[in-house]
Amino acid sequence: MRPAGRERPRTYTLLGADGRPRAGTTPGTLGGTRCGRLYGRLDCPSALRAIARGGYTRNRVFFADEATAVAAGYRPCAVCLPREYAAWKIDREHTT
């Protein structure tokens, strides 16, 4: 047993801009899925429904911020980040 006040800090695994997992002491602010390579808010209704159905969790990833998610090649969720998704879609149409 550890003495009081000597507990190990909790660690979180987040994806970095290169798409590789990184351990840190700060929890992610965004969640996503490897399958669809998309990210969104942790309280996204669509993600929460998928998790409730028993799916999604095996491929769940977390990001420190939006810039890291985008750099790792993930796109914004159309449900919980509609403005970001619309901008991503316009950007994609102009680069394709």
Side-chain angles (χ1 to χ4, degrees), residues 1-95:
M1 182 171 228
R2 291 181 187 277
R6 303 268 319 216
E7 293 182 22
R8 239 184 250 168
R10 185 168 181 175
T11 59
Y12 302 89
T13 303
L14 307 176
L15 286 191
D18 60 1
R20 299 175 111 176
R22 303 273 191 269
T25 56
T26 305
T29 61
L30 299 168
T33 179
R34 284 186 190 99
C35 296
R37 294 192 63 84
L38 62 94
Y39 69 90
R41 294 189 336 244
L42 296 177
D43 64 347
C44 175
S46 181
L48 294 176
R49 278 192 302 273
I51 291 167
R53 287 191 307 265
Y56 195 69
T57 56
R58 186 178 307 161
N59 295 304
R60 189 103 158 113
V61 294
F62 298 93
F63 298 98
D65 53 45
E66 186 174 12
T68 304
V70 170
Y74 285 68
R75 70 160 178 86
C77 173
V79 175
C80 66
L81 299 172
R83 285 189 303 246
E84 293 86 342
Y85 175 77
W88 171 83
K89 193 168 180 174
I90 290 169
D91 233 20
R92 184 172 172 206
E93 290 172 358
H94 286 64
T95 59

